[in-house]
Amino acid sequence: MKETIQNIKGTKDILPKESYLWLYIENYIHNHFSKFGYQEIRTPSFEKTDLFLRSIGQETDIVSKEMYSWIDQGNNKLTLRPELTASVVRSYIQHQMGKQNKLHKLYYLGSSYRRERPQKGRFRQFKQFGLEAFGSSLPEQDAEIIYMAYSLYKSLQIKNLRLKINSIGNRNSRKQYKIELQKYFTKFKNELTEASQKRLKINPLRILDTKVDFEVELVKNAPKIIDYLDLDDQKHLESVLYFLKDMNVPYILDPYLVRGLDYYSRTVFEIQTNTLGAQSALCGGGRYDYLVKDLGGQDTPAIGFAAGLERLIMALDMDIGNKNPDIYIVSIGDSALSYSFNLANSLREKDLIVLTETIGRSLKSQMKDANRLNASHVIIIGDDEIKSQMASVKNMTTGHQEDVSLSKIIDYF
RNA sequence: GUGGCUGUAGCUCAGUUGGUUAGAGCGAAGGAUUGUGGUUCCUUAGGCCGUGGGUUCGAUUCCCAUCAGCCACCCCA
């Protein structure tokens, strides 16, 4: 027996049953972001590996073990993008957008790739959408971005939304905080889990995310980043919170919220819901004031967020089906068949959904098919109809049927 | 990468304490109704019981491995 080829682990076919919902949501996202004056950017699915090494951070799991990387025939080190911010920043720098005007507001919607073990809400190819605002260091920009994310989910009626927000300060305060955190947890080093002992060396901020009971207790008494923020960072955070409150966006100030990627500074936030299993995050983002410069651009403040489309769709309580056909043309015989093709084409010019027969079924089967597809009308054309120049038009809901002259049938609909 | 659970028809699932031809519902195809759908009735098709190996006279059933799916850990959208 020939071996059949299957899709790759962690990837998924989106069949027509679901694809209508996907299309609807994608359009919804385009529309939502456009309302705020953000414009779409599309970047390639793969980039030079260096881009991700320099932006995401060498110590992160994404870079150290989850990237789909390869060397091509020209000896270039390439990688399928594991996220889109790096690509957007690369493009921003490359096209000198900062010189065109001071503020650039971009959104994106595209696939990302990470070689992780799949589970609920996590795939190896997944669609991310998100946005980036370049040029403003002001808290009102943070507030706008957070509002855009929150209102998207809110307007789609996602239940049990939790917006968590925190500030991780500037580079200096973060560095100082890291050292203090390391000091604190080192005192309990022998009690920590193996995982946390590793985190202690590599990224002590991660310990704050622990789910182990006794570590959660330790975290409660750990130093808080808020206490290490400098005056400007504090003011910035306060202003962001003020704007959110003013726009009626409920938030939870979570001093233990940290984000995985290296490039964040100051504001970080996450929107969660409880329908996604262990993957509670719908989206995550924050300010990254150093990244543009780190990647070789001008010193440019920026903030953005990334969200998972699969997770959004999973959290949705919505059923969008295919549009039902307006007309199903049942034809019997060769001359009727070619007549039906031309009739269908004319009707389609009126933006109607019109189906014709292409598999030589009996009248009865065609009627069954029309019924199954929920067509609202059926036009029946056979040799008799061609001779008499009259076709039968049946309303499938009422069952009512009448004869309509072929010359007037287009105006009938 | 680690762990747990699950793989039987297109779908949802039964079943075989190891023993001739593995079942149901839904769906599909055809018919009752030779040119009229939905309801009803009848008929039919569709299965290497995930794959490979082992034990056995005999394995879909027991054992091992493997692959896939789901879920969790790690990490993350």
Side-chain angles (χ1 to χ4, degrees), chain A residues 257 259 264 267-271 283-287 303-306:
Chain A
L257 176 69
R259 307 246 74 246
Y264 289 112
T267 308
V268 293
F269 69 97
E270 191 166 305
I271 295 175
C283 82
R287 187 162 270 289
I303 177 166
F305 74 82

Side-chain angles (χ1 to χ4, degrees), chain A residues 17-212:
Chain A
K17 194 172 189 281
E18 291 175 66
S19 62
Y20 296 101
L21 177 60
W22 278 73
L23 186 60
Y24 174 83
I25 294 300
E26 284 167 3
N27 287 335
Y28 193 97
I29 291 165
H30 284 290
N31 192 27
H32 183 79
F33 290 164
S34 302
K35 284 183 194 166
F36 294 81
Y38 282 63
Q39 293 179 306
E40 190 187 13
I41 180 167
R42 301 191 187 202
T43 59
S45 300
F46 57 106
E47 299 269 0
K48 288 189 177 163
T49 302
D50 268 353
L51 175 63
F52 304 116
L53 297 184
R54 284 168 62 186
S55 60
I56 295 170
Q58 308 256 12
E59 305 296 347
T60 60
D61 277 23
I62 295 178
V63 167
S64 62
K65 55 187 194 197
E66 293 172 1
M67 293 202 302
Y68 281 104
S69 300
W70 74 99
I71 294 170
D72 77 358
Q73 291 84 339
N75 219 22
N76 302 298
K77 289 181 186 166
L78 305 176
T79 295
L80 283 175
R81 60 186 178 199
E83 56 121 45
L84 279 96
T85 296
S87 301
V88 174
V89 171
R90 191 225 80 227
S91 178
Y92 174 85
I93 296 167
Q94 185 177 330
H95 298 287
Q96 312 244 43
M97 294 186 202
K99 288 181 181 159
Q100 295 165 29
N101 54 54
K102 190 120 167 73
L103 186 61
H104 252 85
K105 303 197 273 194
L106 302 168
Y107 76 87
Y108 58 80
L109 175 58
S111 295
S112 302
Y113 311 84
R114 293 181 199 172
R115 200 184 181 288
E116 300 180 273
R117 191 79 163 258
Q119 69 184 77
K120 193 177 177 81
R122 169 185 293 168
F123 309 91
R124 289 187 172 181
Q125 174 178 322
F126 58 105
K127 219 158 182 182
Q128 272 196 326
F129 63 94
L131 43 88
E132 319 287 355
F134 296 96
S136 172
S137 60
L138 299 180
E140 42 266 52
Q141 186 63 68
D142 303 40
E144 179 183 70
I145 293 263
I146 295 170
Y147 181 81
M148 287 174 73
Y150 184 79
S151 60
L152 174 73
Y153 295 114
K154 194 75 190 168
S155 64
L156 283 167
Q157 284 152 38
I158 309 284
K159 300 203 177 81
N160 300 311
L161 288 176
R162 279 192 312 274
L163 166 63
K164 289 186 172 179
I165 185 165
N166 191 24
S167 173
I168 57 169
N170 59 45
R171 263 182 185 169
N172 291 332
S173 45
R174 192 180 183 183
K175 198 182 284 173
Q176 185 59 36
Y177 175 64
K178 242 182 180 172
I179 292 169
E180 293 301 322
L181 210 55
Q182 242 155 356
K183 270 189 203 163
Y184 171 81
F185 282 115
T186 304
K187 285 188 285 185
F188 307 100
K189 194 178 172 186
N190 294 330
E191 299 168 47
L192 294 177
T193 56
E194 202 179 320
S196 286
Q197 292 196 17
K198 253 183 217 164
R199 294 176 186 139
L200 186 56
K201 281 184 204 155
I202 298 166
N203 190 353
L205 294 174
R206 291 248 64 96
I207 303 178
L208 302 177
D209 273 346
T210 187
K211 285 163 192 164
V212 185

